[in-house]
């Protein structure tokens, strides 16, 4: 699949078929995560693949009723929870290198985009879910204190096509030479 086609064609999918994701296809997605860029190649990401329907039902309790992705957590055959090891990305000898501190949100974001694009290229659907009770998910999955739960996505074959929400025109976010200021 052409890269621009993947970037533009990938949609958030919130309705899934029950068919399981073949193990080799899941392996391809993990290759996409593996080859993502990261701060000084620190690769802080960790992935928890949840297929057990009982654990997925527990995960669903961490989402609010108003989250449109809620049904997909139990409907899809699997959920991928993306975590990041704290104090790794953006750190040198235990000290933060920049004023931004931990870059784990950035690096796990890159990994998530790789995963979603690779999933799309394999005919699979994803929807990045960030709005949930992270502490609760950490408890359910037994994630230790030094690891941050960042986001999750259901993973499976789409039961519907996603609708593309409108994007800003590039002229609204691209500036030249300097940030536009007062004249
Ligand atoms: C960091 C992040 C968190 C998100 N959290 C949620 C969420 O909790 N629930 C949900 O339904 N969609 C969530 N989304 C999906 C966005 O709503 C979606 O990507 C956006 O509307 C653009 O649509 P598209 O992915 O089809 O291009 C999230 C996306 C990102 C990048």
């Amino acid at each position: 699949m052409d890269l621009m086609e993947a970037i533009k064609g990938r949609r958030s999918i919130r309705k899934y078929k029950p068919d399981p994701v073949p193990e080799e296809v899941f392996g391809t997605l993990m290759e996409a995560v593996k080859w993502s860029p990261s701060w000084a190649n620190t690769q802080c990401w960790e992935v928890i693949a949840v297929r057990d329907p009982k654990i997925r039902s527990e995960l669903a309790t961490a989402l609010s009723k108003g989250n449109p992705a809620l049904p997909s957590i139990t409907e899809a055959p699997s959920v991928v929870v993306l975590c990041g090891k704290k104090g790794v990305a953006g750190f040198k000898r235990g000290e933060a290198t920049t004023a931004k501190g931990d870059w784990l949100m950035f690096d796990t974001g890159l990994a998530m985009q790789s995963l979603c694009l690779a999933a799309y290229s394999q005919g699979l659907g994803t929807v990045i879910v960030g709005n949930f009770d992270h502490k609760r998910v950490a408890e359910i999955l037994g994630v230790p204190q030094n690891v941050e739960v960042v986001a999750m996505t259901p993973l499976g074959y789409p039961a519907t096509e996603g609708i593309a929400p409108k994007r800003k025109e590039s002229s609204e976010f691209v500036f030249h030479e300097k940030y536009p200021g007062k004249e």
Side-chain angles (χ1 to χ4, degrees):
M1 182 181 279
D2 172 73
L3 182 60
M4 279 312 289
E5 188 189 331
I7 290 171
K8 290 176 82 172
R10 177 217 55 83
R11 288 279 72 73
S12 289
I13 300 298
R14 297 181 176 87
K15 285 193 181 299
Y16 290 86
K17 294 177 184 167
D19 313 55
V21 177
E23 207 47 57
E24 68 272 18
V25 176
F26 182 75
T28 301
L29 307 191
M30 293 308 107
E31 277 289 298
V33 169
K34 171 177 164 175
W35 287 101
S36 301
S38 62
W39 183 288
N41 199 28
T42 41
Q43 306 164 65
C44 73
W45 47 71
E46 291 186 322
V47 171
I48 306 173
V50 184
R51 297 178 183 94
D52 186 333
K54 201 169 146 279
I55 304 176
R56 283 190 286 109
S57 297
E58 284 182 64
L59 289 179
T61 67
L63 276 70
S64 68
K65 298 265 185 292
N67 194 319
L70 174 60
S72 63
I73 299 298
T74 45
E75 195 180 76
S78 50
V79 172
V80 175
V81 181
L82 194 61
C83 306
K85 272 191 198 154
K86 296 179 194 171
V88 176
F91 284 78
K92 198 170 188 181
R93 286 187 279 276
E95 295 287 326
T97 314
T98 70
K100 297 216 177 291
D102 204 320
W103 283 70
L104 78 82
M105 295 294 283
F106 193 94
D107 284 5
T108 53
L110 293 169
M112 185 60 109
Q113 172 74 334
S114 299
L115 192 158
C116 292
L117 290 177
Y120 178 64
S121 79
Q122 297 289 319
L124 288 162
T126 55
V127 52
I128 301 168
V129 181
N131 186 12
F132 59 86
D133 182 342
H134 291 76
K135 195 162 164 274
R136 177 143 178 72
V137 167
E139 280 163 12
I140 293 165
L141 300 178
V143 176
Q145 289 284 326
N146 65 322
V147 176
E148 180 115 11
V149 174
V150 178
M152 62 174 97
T153 176
L155 182 68
Y157 292 95
T160 50
E161 276 183 25
I163 298 157
K166 200 174 167 334
R167 272 8 192 212
K168 289 182 188 174
E169 293 302 327
S170 56
S171 57
E172 295 177 68
F173 59 82
V174 178
F175 312 130
H176 295 279
E177 315 325 332
K178 285 196 174 185
Y179 198 88
K182 296 185 190 105
E183 294 301 309

